Amino acid sequence: MDADRIRAHLDPIRHEFADPRSLVMPALKFAQTEKGHLTREDMAAVAEATGYSPSFIESVASFYDRLYTRPVGNRVVSVCVTLSCMLRGADEVWDALCEHEGVDHHHGGTSADGRITIQEAQCLGYCDKGACIQVDAEETKGPYTPEEAVKLVEELREAPTPAELWR
Amino acid sequence: MAEYAPVDLTVENQVEFELDGRRVAAPAGTMLADACYAHGVEIPIFCYEPRIGPPIGACRMCLVEVEGMRGLQTACSTPVAPDMVVRTTTDAVKEAQDGVLEVLLANHPLDCPVCDKGGECPLQDRTFKFGPGTSRYVEPKRHQPKPLNLSHRIALDRERCISCFRCVRFSQEVAQDGELTMQERGARSEITTFSGDPYRGRFSGNIIDVCPVGALTSIPYRFVSRPWDVQNTPSVCGLCPVGCNTELTVREGRTKRVTGRPEPNPAVEEGWLCDTGRWAYDASWSQARITAAVVREATGDRTATLEDAVDGAAALLRGRTAGILVGTAATVEEAGIAADLAGGALPGAVVARMGIPGGALAPLRALPGAQLGDVDDADLVVVAGGDPSAQQPVAELRLRKARRFGATVTGCGPRPHALEALGTFIRTAPGDLAAGVASLAEAIAAATRPVVMWDEADLAGEPAAAEALAAAIAANPAARQLELGAEVNGSGLRALGLPDAGAVLDAVRAGTVDALLLVHADPLDAPGRAAWDAALEGFAGPVIAIASHADATTERADLVLPALTMWEQEGTLVSMNGRVQRLRPGARGPEGAAAGWELLVALAHRLGVVPGYRTAAAAFRAVTAGRPAFAGITPEAAGVLGVPLAAPAQVAGASAPPPASGEGVPLVATRTVYGGAAARRSAALADTAAPAELRMAPDTAAAHWVNDGDRVVLRSSSGESGRLTVRVGDGLPEGVVFAPLGAPGSPTEGVLPADMAPVLVRVARVEAG
């Protein structure tokens, strides 16, 4: 994504941020909507649009879980594994999804067809709906049984990829 | 490393507090770590480095007990308070220190026996002094590929890193190059650049000095020596006129490393060095080094022993009237002894210095001067002309620090440069610095503690601007001037009263001298070289060069006496701010070479006049006696940190240059230290060497019918340049061309007059790009 598009995205929201450094986050999130992850060029464009050094932009991007500096699947499925969800069977949901997508049971990962990424999430704030799952940056939903979770990713696999990949 | 901030225990109204049962005092605002150190109590620190900026409390090593405060406090970020009760040796503190070190070492490889830092490593020392001695960790340690090349000169070993953030903060806060950051988080945190690119910075080497562990080490120094096998000598850098205080690491007669001083000089460089000053030392054994005397005869060149060569030089000079030209990097001793020859051994000799005549700068130099350290206290810093980041590198760091401390930065000049982002800068047309100066006068008058940095080369060529600037500074009694000099020892040579090189040039042309002795002088590579080329063309007398490296002039000389370099010899240099500082001999130098001052003394002996000194220190006393600028200054007084000259170093017998003549486009020349002449002699800095490029805006290129990549020559009323490659760049002012000084073959110097007067050049394409 080029710096001009990022600037155009930032201009209407600039006044909301007292510290200009805070603009780096919305800029990175927006830059990520194009490919679903941030390339070197994307981060350089964010640096140009925000006035910080590319290295600083990359340090921010590398700090946050939902900013991806490596390619991920078309859809990212985050499984909450914190206490409440774990007590309600998040481990089984996690195992079922990893098994179904053929990814590492310890770290999660992206399916071979590149459609789905399974990742762990810490508490998503939906303890009353555990075990809960968040798809990309959509609303978190639950509770899920392992079978329902597998059905969810099957539906995601068939559904068209959103035009903007907010994560 | 003195990592603690110096504490002045003599000021009034100090805060009294209790330290381990003792009643002590420190100025208000002093951090506990510094106050304790000043009172003889060492509190271990890793992340704290007051030169970098405010404390961040990242490493937790400095925990102490403060009565009434819950938990332990970080001494690096807790200021002293009245009647505070501080305990640094209680069980709770000891347990905390043990715990912190145990965690810091959890993943540390403990490969001290093969680590370059071993023996001079704060982590090692403090683990011995404050650590637990054993670890409860039995788990395997984290492994990383090692070492990585952070740049061509810096190795990064992530296993050893304790994430103290010193290097990151240096890059972000001090150098402000924005290159280094900590990426990822938690246990995966790692120091890196953008996408792992090489660290590009003019001051990158300082991160090696500030690293408290062996994570960042110098590649040229890798596995070269252990700290107990070396001798460290405090010296001064002689590559640019800033005069940074350095420490030479010497082993087996060679300089193996140059670092910032463990006890930095707050008035000059504050411990920071530019990369050129840090790594150029391998130039002392580079290809261009002259290791044996060369005698040029009709039958060809032959090498000679030093004895025979000095005999030969004396024979060539005997009975002749000599012109003696002293180069800008020559020490005070060399210049002084050379001047002394005229009074005895070589009667009637004309002695002159290379460099800018600078007659127009007298009113500026007469004003109260500031040292670089004084910039910290300024509320306004003005940069008149020049490009400090290229020409006086460490001045850039002082300027950035002043900005960090809240000073307003402003200035004017014909060049776009890196420091313009710090404040409001006015771009002046070449030759019209006066217009910029006029618009700065108001700000200077309104400021309470302004420091005006002015560029010697730019203002020497524009007398009107120099006069206006002097008037503006004089109008504010609190204002001080700080010269951004162009020559390494320019101030020293002026303080000795040497006239400019024109005196010798005129004598050569007029035929009143019939021999030429060059002391570290290279007129055929300097501005005004066209005139020297012409004058030497028909010069029949012998040319004798005392030089350390081969250059255009040693090629022309009939006899070359090999001299020592600044890393090898004793001497005195005067910085651009008139600070008298001593070079101390670190390395021995080649077998067939001798210090320039020794060669001159030997020459005097051979010519039958025995000078009254036999050591460099005695020579300093003798040659500076009766010079008002050097009043009261002895080698002892200069000590380790140097002293300012007693009076400004003014020039003798120089007149102001005429305005630009001829026709064409104005040329702005910049002498770059980073990537300049010193870098080209150094293998370690080879990748930084700046190419000979003529930079201009697209419209200017179109107006002169040249394209990016074309090879061109310039012609001015002073002569013709060597070949330069055209680089068309956006963001450059139109109607002006920029070229570097000190590029290979000295192309730009050919069109410039020695007095650095503004020139107009015509651009002629010789080869399409």
Side-chain angles (χ1 to χ4, degrees):
Chain A
M1 188 173 287
D2 62 52
D4 286 335
R5 260 186 81 191
I6 297 168
R7 267 192 217 102
H9 174 73
L10 293 181
D11 282 336
I13 56 170
R14 218 172 269 276
H15 66 277
E16 295 173 28
F17 299 88
D19 183 345
R21 267 213 290 200
S22 309
L23 276 169
V24 171
M25 288 297 292
L28 281 168
K29 280 205 240 170
F30 177 67
Q32 188 170 255
T33 58
E34 194 177 73
K35 304 179 196 75
H37 70 281
L38 294 160
T39 60
R40 179 191 161 96
E41 289 69 31
D42 292 331
M43 289 187 277
V46 171
E48 196 191 325
T50 56
Y52 295 96
S53 75
S55 185
F56 175 76
I57 299 298
E58 195 181 32
S59 78
V60 175
S62 70
F63 184 91
Y64 290 100
D65 267 354
R66 297 288 180 100
L67 293 170
Y68 303 94
T69 51
R70 289 192 190 86
V72 285
N74 289 16
R75 309 306 300 268
V76 177
V77 177
S78 305
V79 182
C80 176
V81 294
T82 312
L83 191 62
S84 308
C85 288
M86 200 178 97
L87 291 172
R88 299 275 308 243
D91 284 357
E92 288 72 31
V93 170
W94 171 259
D95 278 337
L97 288 179
C98 291
E99 186 68 38
H100 184 261
E101 296 302 323
V103 298
D104 183 82
H105 282 244
H106 195 66
H107 296 105
T110 304
S111 62
D113 62 0
R115 297 289 300 174
I116 307 285
T117 292
I118 309 292
Q119 67 172 20
E120 279 186 2
Q122 300 308 322
C123 186
L124 294 166
Y126 283 70
C127 302
D128 56 323
K129 293 184 186 162
C132 66
I133 289 176
Q134 185 181 26
V135 176
D136 287 336
E138 292 168 10
E139 197 190 343
T140 306
K141 291 187 182 132
Y144 281 98
T145 63
E147 296 72 31
E148 286 165 347
V150 168
K151 192 160 155 270
L152 171 74
V153 296
E154 275 307 307
E155 282 167 16
L156 286 174
R157 175 167 272 113
E158 300 311 321
T161 307
E164 290 194 338
L165 296 168
W166 289 97
R167 283 180 172 156
Chain B
M1 269 275 161
E3 295 158 293
Y4 303 89
V7 178
D8 185 358
L9 294 176
T10 61
V11 297
E12 288 183 18
N13 296 327
Q14 295 193 18
V15 174
E16 280 201 19
F17 66 102
E18 193 183 308
L19 172 61
D20 291 338
R22 278 191 295 153
R23 198 78 188 153
V24 295
T30 309
M31 293 302 166
L32 262 182
D34 300 327
C36 293
Y37 191 71
H39 288 290
V41 175
E42 184 189 351
I43 292 176
I45 49 171
F46 291 120
C47 70
Y48 184 49
E49 172 50 275
R51 291 181 298 155
I52 294 179
I56 56 165
C59 74
R60 319 310 292 175
M61 192 61 225
C62 62
L63 292 170
V64 293
E65 207 175 300
V66 179
E67 207 169 273
M69 286 179 156
R70 233 185 85 208
L72 299 174
Q73 302 299 313
T74 46
C76 72
S77 58
T78 309
V80 294
D83 300 320
M84 190 182 234
V85 178
V86 184
R87 299 191 191 93
T88 67
T89 53
T90 59
D91 288 345
V93 172
K94 187 79 195 87
E95 196 188 332
Q97 289 172 345
D98 282 355
V100 170
L101 272 169
E102 198 175 1
V103 173
L104 288 181
L105 296 175
N107 274 311
H108 190 85
L110 293 172
D111 55 352
C112 309
V114 296
C115 176
D116 272 335
K117 198 85 171 183
E120 53 182 13
C121 173
L123 180 65
Q124 196 180 37
D125 294 348
R126 282 161 201 169
T127 302
F128 269 102
K129 198 164 176 183
F130 301 96
T134 56
S135 173
R136 288 167 291 176
Y137 283 101
V138 291
E139 293 78 10
K141 299 198 179 214
R142 183 185 52 195
H143 286 290
Q144 306 254 28
K146 60 192 262 180
L148 298 166
N149 286 11
L150 194 59
S151 74
H152 290 288
R153 288 166 288 282
I154 304 172
L156 167 63
D157 185 325
R158 287 191 175 132
E159 291 182 355
R160 296 177 188 153
C161 178
I162 59 168
S163 301
C164 72
F165 281 87
R166 275 190 186 180
C167 55
V168 171
R169 288 161 66 216
F170 175 83
S171 165
Q172 302 288 339
E173 312 274 329
V174 180
Q176 297 177 1
D177 53 32
E179 289 268 317
L180 279 189
T181 47
M182 185 75 84
Q183 295 196 358
E184 294 285 347
R185 63 184 158 155
R188 290 202 307 272
S189 302
E190 60 186 31
I191 303 295
T192 184
T193 52
F194 183 48
S195 303
D197 291 350
Y199 182 10
R200 285 175 301 259
R202 294 185 295 275
F203 304 98
S204 64
N206 293 302
I207 64 172
I208 299 170
D209 283 359
V210 297
C211 183
V213 301
L216 295 165
T217 48
S218 164
I219 291 177
Y221 186 62
R222 192 165 173 78
F223 303 143
V224 166
S225 190
R226 314 293 319 194
W228 50 86
D229 288 329
V230 302
Q231 279 160 326
N232 288 329
T233 309
S235 191
V236 175
C237 181
L239 293 176
C240 87
V242 174
C244 295
N245 291 207
T246 58
E247 183 143 296
L248 308 180
T249 295
V250 181
R251 182 180 181 180
E252 291 161 1
R254 267 196 179 183
T255 302
K256 298 291 191 184
R257 177 174 69 168
V258 175
T259 59
R261 291 242 187 110
E263 302 286 343
N265 191 340
V268 187
E269 85 299 335
E270 214 189 11
W272 308 131
L273 302 182
C274 72
D275 284 359
T276 308
R278 179 178 303 270
W279 277 301
Y281 59 86
D282 65 353
S284 56
W285 58 86
S286 73
Q287 284 266 300
R289 185 73 199 265
I290 301 167
T291 54
V294 180
V295 183
R296 218 146 265 153
E297 290 168 339
T299 50
D301 295 0
R302 67 173 173 88
T303 57
T305 64
L306 206 50
E307 286 291 301
D308 291 349
V310 177
D311 280 342
L316 288 175
L317 290 170
R318 193 167 292 126
R320 289 179 188 261
T321 311
I324 305 180
L325 206 49
V326 182
T328 56
T331 61
V332 170
E333 287 80 356
E334 287 164 340
I337 297 170
D340 234 14
L341 292 178
L346 293 169
V350 184
V351 189
R353 64 183 168 91
M354 292 291 296
I356 299 169
L361 301 171
L364 272 169
R365 289 190 173 126
L367 292 164
Q371 298 280 308
L372 268 178
D374 299 329
V375 177
D376 293 356
D377 305 322
D379 64 332
L380 172 75
V381 186
V382 175
V383 183
D387 177 356
S389 52
Q391 309 192 117
Q392 298 87 11
V394 167
E396 170 180 347
L397 296 187
R398 299 308 302 232
L399 204 58
R400 289 188 187 278
K401 184 179 177 192
R403 180 76 198 86
R404 249 175 33 237
F405 280 14
T408 308
V409 177
T410 180
C412 62
R415 301 173 189 78
H417 60 74
L419 293 168
E420 289 186 329
L422 295 183
T424 324
F425 276 76
I426 301 156
R427 174 92 65 253
T428 57
D432 193 20
L433 209 49
V437 168
S439 56
L440 294 171
E442 205 174 312
I444 297 172
T448 46
R449 292 179 312 278
V451 172
V452 180
M453 296 180 160
W454 54 275
D455 188 71
E456 181 188 6
D458 279 8
L459 282 152
E462 299 189 33
E467 207 167 300
L469 188 63
I473 300 171
N476 183 343
R480 282 176 296 173
Q481 54 88 16
L482 193 152
E483 177 172 350
L484 295 170
E487 299 139 7
V488 176
N489 194 28
S491 301
L493 305 185
R494 288 196 302 275
L496 284 170
L498 298 182
D500 67 81
V504 172
L505 182 61
D506 292 344
V508 169
R509 280 174 174 154
T512 51
V513 296
D514 52 4
L516 207 50
L517 175 61
L518 306 161
V519 184
H520 293 293
D522 181 16
L524 299 182
D525 278 318
R529 74 174 164 90
W532 277 100
D533 262 326
L536 287 180
E537 190 79 15
F539 187 71
V543 177
I544 298 160
I546 294 178
S548 60
H549 286 86
D551 53 37
T553 310
T554 61
E555 292 301 309
R556 165 69 178 79
D558 301 299
L559 183 74
V560 183
L561 297 173
L564 297 183
T565 62
M566 67 158 192
W567 297 283
E568 299 153 355
Q569 72 162 327
E570 216 176 332
T572 310
L573 295 175
V574 184
S575 81
M576 62 189 189
N577 312 124
R579 198 175 184 85
V580 183
Q581 304 186 113
R582 290 173 66 189
L583 283 173
R584 285 175 179 76
R588 273 198 298 270
E591 204 65 18
W597 66 269
E598 285 180 302
L599 292 170
L600 289 167
V601 169
L603 208 50
H605 276 267
R606 301 292 202 287
L607 290 166
V609 179
V610 178
Y613 36 78
R614 294 204 299 190
T615 64
F620 180 84
R621 284 200 190 81
V623 302
T624 57
R627 301 281 173 199
F630 285 105
I633 295 177
T634 61
E636 292 76 30
V640 181
L641 296 179
V643 284
L645 284 175
Q650 288 289 11
V651 298
S655 58
S661 58
E663 57 185 50
V665 60
L667 168 74
V668 174
T670 311
R671 183 184 307 278
T672 52
V673 173
Y674 186 73
R680 284 202 315 281
R681 286 177 184 155
S682 157
L685 292 164
D687 66 303
T688 70
E693 287 179 346
L694 185 71
R695 295 185 305 127
M696 61 183 85
D699 288 4
T700 313
H704 289 88
W705 303 97
V706 291
N707 298 310
D708 192 89
D710 283 356
R711 308 271 286 156
V712 296
V713 294
L714 309 177
R715 289 190 187 89
S716 78
S717 52
S718 298
E720 185 178 302
S721 80
R723 287 185 174 201
L724 294 155
T725 306
V726 172
R727 281 284 164 259
V728 177
D730 292 319
L732 294 169
E734 278 171 32
V736 48
V737 294
F738 299 89
L741 289 172
S746 315
T748 317
E749 280 82 344
V751 285
L752 292 173
D755 57 12
M756 295 300 278
V759 287
L760 300 173
V761 295
R762 273 170 301 165
V763 182
R765 178 161 64 183
V766 290
E767 195 182 311

